[in-house]
Amino acid sequence: MAAICIQVRAQLEALIDGEVATDLDARLRAHLADCPGCRAHHAEATSLPARIGALGSPEPPAALLDGILRRVQGEKIGPLHLWGPLVVELLLAVVAVWYVSGLQGLSLLVQRTASDVGSLIGWGAGLSELPAPAAGDVFLLLVCGLLMVTTLYHLTLLARLGPRFS
Amino acid sequence: MQADGTLAALRAQSTGDPDSEALARAARGGDLDAFEGLVRRYQRRVYALAYQHLRDPDEAQDLAQEVFVRLYRNLDRYDPSRPFQPWFWRLAVNVAATYRRHRPAAAVELPDVAAAVETAPEESLPLERALADLSDDLRLPVLLHYYLDLPLDEIALSMGLSLSAVKSRLHRARALLRRLLVEEE
């Protein structure tokens, strides 16, 4: 293949898109008029967009729409689903507050916790025994753990609604 | 069965489509019927794009479904004061691009293409093979522009590219396709 043909064929895409300067356009077309090989390439390049546009595809299956609607309906969050966890959260919060016997109980709990932390540090320094957790603290820990899990789940539901929720 | 004219008619219809904006606004407010209307309006083009991109009917259905589910989940991010189509195709292109990344590259087989497509002329099979040989970043702009007739500026927006970058990819893709088709012969 002549060097000129290599150069011309490299410019064919730009020529088809009308992105070459006028004088270059004229020279390219003059070469195409004289060169059957490059002319064939030009015809091929010109026809390519039309051939791509004419490609056929099968019809979308009926199951496509059904599948889409099934999935999005499964993602809809009803009011019971959305506000149900709030009832559980309130219940757990009431249990926790009742268990610590109100504010006074909460204050005692904080004091006990601080004392345990001090004992733990002492144990680490080899100065005291490891404090044994009170059975009640384990129960309270369980209730607070459940409350946290429920609240996190509830927050994910609210986040999925996003601005729609407002 | 799919006729090329049907897809061409849909192309002509869906540019600058105020009905799509109205449906999107309603769907954004939770109207599932409006969302279904959007799906019906775009499913053929989305499925056609997915099919030409993946060359497998089941994968195409999966991808098309993913596009519309992602549309449903992201309707809140659509700004109703702006045209719906560019925003929608940007979402569809993103889903298509990331879909391939999460799937292992499969060998391209076209045993049932001629059976699946009613009026496929004999010379379209090498072209489909050649398209399948393109990388995703070259194939997608080709399909969006020449197959779905999207304007270049909309493709640039959809793919997050400059206009000149899209043109460059189209040039490279066409040159590569020509070379592949010549090798096929």
Side-chain angles (χ1 to χ4, degrees):
Chain A
M1 184 172 22
I4 180 70
C5 292
I6 295 173
Q7 291 172 22
V8 166
R9 292 180 194 185
Q11 297 286 338
L12 284 180
E13 305 302 334
L15 176 67
I16 289 164
D17 287 343
E19 291 174 0
V20 297
T22 312
D23 57 341
L24 179 58
D25 185 297
R27 291 204 305 273
L28 289 171
R29 292 190 189 281
H31 176 82
L32 291 174
D34 291 335
C35 180
C38 288
R39 201 161 50 244
H41 269 266
H42 181 251
E44 172 97 12
T46 310
S47 71
L48 200 51
R51 286 163 62 193
I52 294 169
L55 286 173
S57 292
E59 284 284 311
L64 174 62
L65 179 59
D66 294 340
I68 292 164
L69 294 178
R70 202 163 35 246
R71 275 183 72 180
V72 303
Q73 277 164 349
E75 292 188 8
K76 278 184 75 171
I77 305 170
L80 190 62
H81 189 185
L82 184 63
W83 298 113
L86 188 61
V87 173
V88 176
E89 288 158 4
L90 286 172
L91 201 63
L92 287 169
V94 164
V95 166
V97 169
W98 164 79
Y99 189 77
V100 300
S101 306
L103 285 176
Q104 192 179 7
L106 195 60
S107 171
L108 282 172
L109 179 67
V110 169
Q111 286 173 22
R112 198 171 67 217
T113 305
S115 168
D116 283 347
V117 167
S119 300
L120 204 61
I121 293 170
W123 171 77
L127 299 173
S128 61
E129 295 289 315
L130 186 67
D137 284 344
V138 173
F139 175 76
L140 191 60
L141 198 63
L142 185 65
V143 168
C144 291
L146 284 172
L147 181 59
M148 190 170 68
V149 165
T150 309
T151 305
L152 282 173
Y153 171 68
H154 197 185
L155 286 172
T156 59
L157 292 180
L158 292 171
R160 276 167 60 186
L161 288 179
R164 199 179 296 159
F165 173 61
S166 63
Chain B
M1 180 57 89
Q2 171 68 44
D4 296 342
T6 308
L7 190 58
L10 281 172
R11 284 185 208 132
Q13 172 196 45
S14 59
T15 51
D17 185 3
D19 290 341
S20 292
E21 271 99 36
L23 285 171
R25 272 195 299 274
R28 200 169 168 272
D31 185 342
L32 208 55
D33 288 337
F35 175 73
E36 184 177 338
L38 276 178
V39 175
R40 289 185 184 277
R41 187 166 281 264
Y42 284 95
Q43 65 171 339
R44 189 173 288 168
R45 296 180 84 194
V46 170
Y47 182 78
L49 173 69
Y51 181 79
Q52 295 299 339
H53 187 52
L54 298 173
R55 303 304 309 167
D56 179 278
D58 293 332
E59 295 268 295
Q61 182 179 344
D62 197 40
L63 172 56
Q65 192 177 99
E66 193 57 38
V67 166
F68 287 108
V69 169
R70 199 75 68 86
L71 169 66
Y72 180 79
R73 287 178 188 160
N74 287 277
L75 273 168
D76 294 326
R77 295 185 184 166
Y78 164 60
D79 181 353
S81 66
R82 306 184 78 146
F84 174 73
Q85 282 205 117
W87 180 85
F88 173 70
W89 286 114
R90 179 171 194 147
L91 181 144
V93 165
N94 283 338
V95 175
T98 54
Y99 185 90
R100 294 273 281 200
R101 279 187 220 134
H102 294 135
R103 293 289 193 277
V108 176
E109 294 177 12
L110 301 170
D112 297 324
V113 168
V117 180
E118 185 184 49
T119 56
E122 281 300 314
E123 57 266 26
S124 74
L125 287 179
L127 178 55
E128 286 159 349
R129 271 194 285 269
L131 269 171
D133 281 344
L134 292 180
S135 63
D136 290 358
D137 62 342
L138 293 183
R139 189 189 316 104
L140 273 174
V142 165
L143 292 176
L144 290 171
H145 188 51
Y146 299 123
Y147 192 61
L148 294 183
D149 244 6
L150 294 186
L152 292 179
D153 53 351
E154 215 169 282
I155 295 170
L157 266 174
S158 300
M159 298 189 71
L161 297 171
S162 65
L163 193 57
S164 57
V166 172
K167 287 182 183 177
S168 168
R169 289 193 188 190
L170 287 174
H171 286 190
R172 277 164 44 209
R174 286 186 345 224
L176 190 50
L177 283 171
R178 282 194 292 115
R179 195 163 79 232
L180 290 169
L181 288 170
V182 165
E183 285 169 8
E184 179 81 20
E185 289 161 13

